[in-house]
Amino acid sequence: MNHMTIGEVSSIFQVSTRMLRYYEKMGLIESTRKEGYAYRVYDENTVKRIQQIIILRKLQIPLKQIRCILNGDREKTIQILKTQINGMDESVKSIQTIKEVLEKLLELFYKDTTNKNCLDGVQENSVMKLLEFLPLERYCLKEKQKMSVRKEMVEKQSCVRIVMLPPCTVAAYQFVGDNPPEETVGEVMNTFVRSSKLYEKKPDARLFGFNNPNPAPGDDYHGYEDWVTISDDMEVPKPLVKKHFEGGIYAAYTINFPDFYEWNFLTEWVKNNDTWQANYHKEKANSMDGCLEEHLNWVYSSHMGWSENSGVDGKLDLLLPIKLK
């Protein structure tokens, strides 16, 4: 049986390694270790399952419902697909391709009276041809959907904010390795916030993160670094280090976790703006060019011991450095 690394799967399916690791955290897929490999790999069945997840994500079906579909519950799957079709809002209804794919997929499940996963037959079905119109980034659809897309883009553009991040002192931690780096640094920061009672000392503390180093084609490892703001005179325990953040002006756009593909939208917004232009930091080219991700309410949630499903910390601000033209 052939095995593929996370980097290979990321390249073939054009989905980020971060998203693949999140699928694993959600229990949708599993990775294994193969003798002679220093990192985790996916077997053929898991790669097939990843493809099925991507198909369903292109149809804007939430991950929790995708788990139900992949578990092979035919009746629940039919109900999920019917609800998805009926619940499409006006802006999405005009994207006929999505509705057409959902209806064809529903037909497959109606015809199959067994409990097997009907998605196994999608590759031999006309559904695959329609799916070519649906990249994961829902705002890159084909020509016939451009009017609907343009309307939604205008609505999104009005949500971009211009914010000033003041200079501050931060406690920083970076990790590079096989374990999911975002989770690893998050656990270290979580321990620091609770043990230091940071929120009680600094109620306005904030958490920022960024790739360091960035994922690269063919690489199975990447790194991530977290910063949590602290008072200037606060000492930090190892392995954390104390750093100074110079601050600056940023374009900010709020997303739901884990919709990191929205970086594409924010980048295009800055590129086409009449007033602002990107102010990327060349010296940080390997760590998102100075862009940041702020996990909203994270310090408060960590202090209170609340999970990411509490509804308090499920959003992030994407922050892109800018300057006047």
Side-chain angles (χ1 to χ4, degrees):
M1 179 177 288
N2 295 325
H3 290 76
M4 298 177 64
T5 68
I6 189 171
E8 291 170 335
V9 173
S10 173
S11 177
I12 289 175
F13 293 116
Q14 293 299 294
V15 60
S16 69
T17 55
R18 176 185 290 189
M19 186 63 74
L20 290 171
R21 292 183 187 278
Y22 184 68
Y23 291 163
E24 187 166 353
K25 181 181 178 181
M26 290 281 292
L28 295 173
I29 60 175
E30 293 182 354
S31 62
T32 59
R33 287 189 182 276
K34 185 180 177 183
E35 185 177 354
Y37 279 66
Y39 35 76
R40 298 176 186 276
V41 294
Y42 300 119
D43 61 25
E44 290 180 357
N45 290 332
T46 302
V47 172
K48 185 175 183 180
R49 192 174 179 93
I50 290 170
Q51 184 181 38
Q52 294 173 351
I53 293 170
I54 292 172
I55 288 172
L56 296 171
R57 286 297 291 145
K58 284 184 176 184
L59 299 174
Q60 300 177 20
I61 297 177
L63 288 176
K64 290 182 179 179
Q65 294 180 344
I66 287 176
R67 179 191 284 123
C68 181
I69 293 173
L70 296 180
N71 284 343
D73 190 320
R74 180 175 176 273
E75 293 302 321
K76 285 186 178 180
T77 295
I78 289 174
Q79 187 58 48
I80 288 171
L81 295 176
K82 290 172 65 176
T83 300
Q84 188 74 2
I85 293 171
N86 296 333
M88 294 164 70
D89 59 35
E90 291 302 320
S91 61
V92 178
K93 274 186 179 179
S94 63
I95 305 177
Q96 292 300 319
T97 304
I98 294 179
K99 188 172 183 179
E100 193 173 345
V101 173
L102 285 166
E103 289 173 343
K104 287 183 176 296
L105 202 56
L106 185 58
E107 286 179 17
L108 285 178
F109 280 92
Y110 270 131
K111 289 178 181 178
D112 183 9
T113 58
T114 71
N115 286 324
K116 75 173 186 177
N117 185 352
C118 295
L119 289 170
D120 292 341
V122 165
Q123 283 187 313
E124 290 74 35
N125 192 275
S126 58
V127 170
M128 286 301 293
K129 293 182 179 179
L130 290 169
L131 283 166
E132 294 177 2
F133 288 87
L134 300 173
L136 285 176
E137 295 82 355
R138 55 182 291 197
Y139 298 100
C140 300
L141 302 178
K142 299 291 184 179
E143 185 70 27
K144 67 179 181 179
Q145 289 102 18
K146 280 189 176 179
M147 290 301 294
S148 172
V149 170
R150 188 174 296 115
K151 179 181 177 181
E152 293 191 50
M153 286 292 285
V154 169
E155 294 174 353
K156 289 181 67 175
Q157 288 169 1
S158 66
C159 296
V160 177
R161 302 155 3 248
I162 307 301
V163 300
M164 169 64 80
L165 296 182
C168 59
T169 301
V170 301
Y173 178 66
Q174 178 207 16
F175 175 81
V176 180
D178 183 35
N179 292 329
E182 297 85 359
E183 293 182 25
T184 301
V185 295
E187 290 172 0
V188 172
M189 283 300 183
N190 189 51
T191 299
F192 170 66
V193 168
R194 294 190 185 185
S195 62
S196 68
K197 298 183 179 179
L198 178 64
Y199 182 78
E200 295 177 7
K201 300 173 182 177
K202 188 173 174 59
D204 61 347
R206 303 163 70 174
L207 182 87
F208 301 94
F210 54 94
N211 292 331
N212 185 18
N214 295 327
D219 286 351
D220 295 289
Y221 295 161
H222 75 280
Y224 201 77
E225 182 168 338
D226 267 353
W227 293 346
V228 62
T229 59
I230 59 175
S231 58
D232 295 340
D233 59 352
M234 188 174 182
E235 297 298 324
V236 298
K238 293 181 179 181
L240 279 67
V241 296
K242 201 170 181 178
K243 293 186 178 182
H244 177 75
F245 171 51
E246 65 275 13
I249 304 175
Y250 291 78
Y253 182 68
T254 304
I255 65 168
N256 292 312
F257 185 86
D259 294 341
F260 293 103
Y261 63 81
E262 294 283 16
W263 270 116
N264 296 331
F265 159 71
L266 187 58
T267 301
E268 288 299 311
W269 181 90
V270 173
K271 186 184 298 184
N272 298 316
N273 194 271
D274 295 330
T275 305
W276 301 96
Q277 62 182 322
N279 186 26
Y280 295 125
H281 304 165
K282 294 182 180 179
E283 72 279 8
K284 299 178 181 178
N286 201 32
S287 54
M288 293 177 57
D289 296 305
C291 295
L292 299 170
E293 297 167 347
E294 179 176 7
H295 299 245
L296 303 178
N297 302 310
W298 189 90
V299 176
Y300 179 72
S301 178
S302 173
H303 174 78
M304 297 296 292
W306 290 352
S307 71
E308 64 183 30
N309 296 321
S310 64
V312 174
D313 60 342
K315 293 184 180 294
L316 299 91
D317 266 352
L318 307 183
L319 299 163
L320 192 153
I322 56 175
K323 61 183 178 181
L324 288 171
K325 285 187 173 180

